[in-house]
Amino acid sequence: MRELSMGRRARRLSIVAACAMGAMALQACHDTGTAEPTVIAGRDGKDGKDGKDGKDGKDGRDGREGRDGQDGDDGRDGMNGRDGTNGSNGRDGADGRDGPNGKDGANGRDGANGKDGRDGGDGRDGRDGGDGRDGTDGKDGVDGNDGRHGADGRDGADGKDGVNGKDGRDGRDGRDGGGGGAGTGSGAGASGGRPALMPSGAYAGQCSPANVEAQASQRTGSLTTEKQWIRSRVDEVYLWRNEVPDVDAGAAKHSDGPVRTALKAYFTALRTPARTASGKARDAYSFMATSKSVEAFDRGQGDLGAGIRWAVRSDRPPRDIRVDFVEPGAPADRAGVKRGDRLAAVAGTALDELDEDVLDELLSPSTAGQALSYTLTSTQGVPRQVAVTSEEITRKPVPLHQVLTGEDGASVGYLLFNAHIAPAEPALIEAVTTFRERKIRDLVVDLRFNGGGLVYLANQLAYMVAGPTATAGKAFAKLLTNDPASATASGLPFMATSCHLVDGQCSSIRPLPTLDLRRVFALSQQDTCSASEALINTLRGIGVEVVLIGDTTCGKPFGFTGKDNCGYHYFAVDSMFANDRGFADYADGFEPGGQGVAGVPGCRVEDDLAHDLGDSRERLLSAALGYRIDSRCPVQQAGQATASSADRVMRGSGPGSSRGRRHPLEGNMFLAGPR
């Protein structure tokens, strides 16, 4: 079943820092390469006591075994000094030490021809001598000092690339070392060599005159400069920067048309081509958005529409499109639209007669003030006409919290948490305070529509659920970046205080209420993503049992720190979130009842749309309430499709956007918090 979300969401992730206790800088990593190594040339050994023999001096001709003449006592030309015809260069030897035994005779002139006696020192062996190996791959030239271009300027301490400098597997872009140069030979890497990039700051704010999103005062640069900023920024922060493909920034598809189109095409082309175990793109997430839309997202604004989230069970005739969620207070809510209502016609035209593009526009209008007319059939089979007008929707991130009574008489908290946006914080604190006062024994967190957002909110909620004892000395998350040192970092601490983020700063810092629970039920679908998955992973990492009910989550253990340039925010995946135990291997999603590493105890259950959210008869919530009694999953009824069945199609996310119009800000995890 595909979900259509409520509007072309201009969502934002105010990118501040992943924890609210201080700004976390995910800093650019411009490596500059290291100093050129000294090659040890095999001591020139002390060449034999006399080297007199010289009857024929035949052996010295190729320095194969360095035996200078029949009597050249120790004249072995370095154990491997095989190359030198005259042993003139044998600086390398297999291990760069030509001649620990090379006592070829100080003047070992071996008879009339005994010119070989000089080696020990120089038997030109070194195809890849001690340091000439160019890092792990640099087996290139015989002795070429081609250049330091490898990935990050790290090729072999200074990687003498060799005559033909093929070092390029690391030197893909010739980009590293902050301009580590392509060398003087042909060692320009696979890309054929690029000009060295400066830090992104050197290109910032130099915008194309045609860029309408940029401030007028900044339109003094060019499209080329904007792309240079993108390329440098990716090199600084991108999690998989060594997997960035070779992209021709000057190609027509990255240069022609509107500025936004060209920049988006270029930025997208820089994503790693790698895939997960299931075959999906590892990075389907890095994206750009206008800075204006990012700012609106932070405020929970930016959606246009009637406030309906559509569930598409079949998008081909006979079409089956139903109301999945109605945003409280939105035009559809005011008009009486209910969860489970089935769409029969739009603007008087039967659903199956509408062109798909026309249908998309009618379900997700692109402008405010657009009149919309829907023919809906209720879950009781009653048809009715509904007329609404599109407007900008302000989301309510926590629409519902309540306390239910379980079959065993215990109090069970239910929390519908739809978005990790700043307005969620006071609502989450209010809900947890209520649950604490009512002494709940278990908690059900409904995350089926929660595509992520500001990760500091997941941090706060995890702390409120688990409490101070379970979180003491533990990390909310271990943030892995493209800096190898990040793998040993201590991690992000739990947030034990409120923040109430206003203009990027905390406005109210108080102790958070806690529940001290050891078990939590999470309701999920494919739109349960990013920061919502971080919440699940974090709790599991500190020993809180998580029972997952519903469908497999989206699979996004990645985070972003957005950066603005010329009116656009760029979000390159720059981090991976591991829990306190170091686990982050869920790029294909957490699976309810699954058996693999990302399997989570629980039940695969399909949302039935026949009951309101929070109703104990609603299928996912009912399954959770039953599981807490006997740890069993509900029996699948005949004809009831599972959430993983063939008729399920890609969901959208967030109230109001239609098929294929999911705004990227909706389903991500942003390293955000107070400055």
Side-chain angles (χ1 to χ4, degrees), residues 140-166:
D140 288 322
V142 178
D143 57 11
N145 32 25
D146 223 70
R148 300 186 292 238
H149 65 297
D152 298 311
R154 294 190 193 128
D155 280 329
D158 204 20
K160 291 190 174 182
D161 254 1
V163 174
N164 42 8
K166 293 180 184 170

Side-chain angles (χ1 to χ4, degrees), residues 36 39 157 285 315 466 637 670:
E36 191 164 343
V39 177
Y285 311 117
D315 59 355
Q637 297 176 3
F670 304 110

Side-chain angles (χ1 to χ4, degrees), residues 153-360:
R154 294 190 193 128
D155 280 329
D158 204 20
K160 291 190 174 182
D161 254 1
V163 174
N164 42 8
K166 293 180 184 170
D167 204 56
R169 266 181 38 212
D170 291 327
R172 261 175 148 55
D173 296 320
R175 66 184 179 266
D176 290 286
T184 55
S186 58
S191 63
R194 284 197 183 90
L197 284 170
M198 295 182 290
S200 60
Y203 306 108
Q206 301 172 49
C207 316
S208 166
N211 185 345
V212 296
E213 293 292 334
Q215 297 177 21
S217 61
Q218 293 184 329
R219 298 177 198 168
T220 58
S222 66
L223 182 62
T224 296
T225 310
E226 290 196 49
K227 286 186 285 188
Q228 286 174 320
W229 182 91
I230 291 172
R231 186 64 188 84
S232 184
R233 175 69 180 170
V234 167
D235 193 60
E236 290 167 353
V237 305
Y238 191 46
L239 185 61
W240 304 289
R241 67 176 176 184
N242 289 336
E243 299 176 16
V244 173
D246 297 316
V247 177
D248 181 3
K253 61 183 176 180
H254 305 140
S255 304
D256 295 346
V259 168
R260 179 174 184 171
T261 301
L263 293 176
K264 181 178 179 181
Y266 180 61
F267 183 61
T268 303
L270 296 175
R271 299 192 299 199
T272 174
R275 296 191 169 270
T276 68
S278 70
K280 80 173 186 179
R282 178 190 287 171
D283 181 10
Y285 311 117
S286 294
F287 69 99
M288 61 177 281
T290 66
S291 298
K292 294 175 184 175
S293 69
V294 170
E295 291 161 4
F297 179 80
D298 263 354
R299 300 189 298 268
Q301 299 173 341
D303 279 332
L304 286 174
I308 301 173
R309 177 190 180 98
W310 300 99
V312 180
R313 293 192 163 186
S314 173
D315 59 355
R316 297 177 181 177
R319 290 184 172 123
D320 185 354
I321 301 176
R322 307 188 190 194
V323 175
D324 196 7
F325 179 76
V326 180
E327 186 66 43
D333 183 44
R334 299 195 298 266
V337 177
K338 300 295 183 183
R339 172 175 162 86
D341 285 347
R342 183 168 182 167
L343 184 64
V346 181
T349 303
L351 201 57
D352 289 346
E353 296 176 9
L354 287 167
D355 176 80
E356 185 168 348
D357 291 336
V358 173
L359 178 60
D360 281 349

Side-chain angles (χ1 to χ4, degrees), residues 536 540 545-548 589-603:
I536 294 169
R540 298 184 78 210
E545 179 186 3
V546 177
V547 179
L548 196 61
F590 287 115
E591 182 182 0
Q595 300 301 311
V597 294
V600 179
C603 310

